[in-house]
Amino acid sequence: VIFITHDLGVVAEIADRVAIMYKGEIVEENTNTNIFNHPQHSYTKALIACRPAEHSKQERLPTVADFLESDIRSSESEVKTTVAVQSIPTTEGSVLLKVENLTVRFPGKTNLLGKPKTWFTAVNNASFEIFKGETLGLVGESGCGKTTLGRTLLRLIEPSSGSIVYNQSDITQLPRPELKALRKDIQLIFQDPYSSLNPRLTIGDAIAEPMSIRGIESTTKARKKRVADLLEQVSLSPSMMNRYPHEFSGGQRQRIVIARALSLHPGFIVCDESVSALDVSVQAQVLNLLNELKKELGLTMLFISHDLSVVRYMCDRIMVMNKGQIIESGPAEQVYYRPKNEYTKQLIEAIPKIPANK
């Protein structure tokens, strides 16, 4: 079997030999043990060091560029992680979003009259709070209801029962005009950076489109300047605004999608598996960017992922979901290192692990 993946943990568990590819070339090939315990090439070292599991919340994740630039300047072994202390909010602040007894059901089989005979419950009686400036992680296996819950908070999916109170307003009861006005304050960053952008629009037009619809900035010239500022904010050059999505890498596209989400000055962002499609080195860049934006803009986020190590690194608290129910929640470090629920323990034990460097 030739197993192609960007998940180093999976490689460490199943492969006999490992080949590392960079810019079209095999830069290193060795046994599994030697690759992970005694990496030789700076790119291999970077891939191993970029993983969030190796770093605390106070650390900026190293990137491939850090290692390659250091390799040029000096010895590869002298690469150090840049530390950037984040302001981690506590749960003593004001509540931005409060969810009570939220249930979402979908119809199953129907009778001859077209009425449902059975129902599938995707979200079952969920209740939780998100505080201003907090990042709340939502984890669970595929099909557990994470994405359904996230999209229901945005009213992209209608709840069957329960309440969603955002800024002291129950958005499940809002009439359509008021809900439309609220949408600019709640944004979604999708999982797939390739299908998130219209291939027929330049990235400048894609970022400016929401502003035009919402009446943000009065003139085309002002919106163009705002687009340039947003591109700089996500570490892309304003000169790129006339290019099309196919001219960018996956990591660059995800930065563009983040810029588009920020164009409406949102107070709350739902990140739905927003880094799961990216390889570990690009993932580190996007996670660093999100942390910088959180600190700079005071964003509140619901971070949905199946990758517990990423959620532990990014989030202040973690909720664990199983079969539509929230079965455990608490501070990120506590849930990750001292889980109480048996299902949470199984999720953590199932994480593919890279052997410790000897």
Side-chain angles (χ1 to χ4, degrees), residues 216-247:
I216 295 177
E217 306 297 351
S218 56
T219 65
T220 302
K221 184 179 180 179
R223 283 193 288 271
K224 189 173 181 179
K225 184 181 183 304
R226 169 76 174 146
V227 170
D229 292 341
L230 286 166
L231 287 173
E232 286 187 338
Q233 199 166 25
V234 297
S235 302
L236 292 174
S237 171
S239 63
M240 296 177 174
M241 69 171 65
N242 293 321
R243 297 184 189 178
Y244 288 87
H246 72 270
E247 299 178 70

Side-chain angles (χ1 to χ4, degrees), residues 13 16 27 55 64 75 80 91 93-94 100 103 110 125 146 157 193 210 223 280 283 295 301 309 330 332 339 342:
E13 290 202 347
D16 302 307
V27 296
H55 303 275
V64 171
S75 168
K80 295 182 180 179
T91 55
S94 57
E100 289 187 330
T103 298
T110 58
N125 205 34
K146 305 187 300 295
I157 296 175
R223 283 193 288 271
V280 65
Q283 181 187 85
K295 185 176 180 181
M301 292 197 291
S309 61
E342 190 61 33

Side-chain angles (χ1 to χ4, degrees), residues 187-189 269-274 290 301-305:
Q187 290 296 300
L188 177 64
I189 299 174
I269 294 179
V270 176
C271 297
D272 186 8
E273 299 277 12
S274 54
L290 287 173
M301 292 197 291
L302 176 65
F303 195 91
I304 302 172
S305 179

Side-chain angles (χ1 to χ4, degrees), residues 87-128:
S87 55
I88 301 174
T90 66
T91 55
E92 297 175 356
S94 57
V95 174
L96 179 68
L97 183 78
K98 185 174 183 179
V99 176
E100 289 187 330
N101 306 317
L102 185 67
T103 298
V104 181
R105 298 191 302 162
F106 297 108
K109 293 182 180 180
T110 58
N111 58 24
L112 293 174
L113 298 176
K115 295 183 178 180
K117 294 193 297 182
T118 59
W119 292 84
F120 171 71
T121 303
V123 178
N124 189 1
N125 205 34
S127 297
F128 59 92

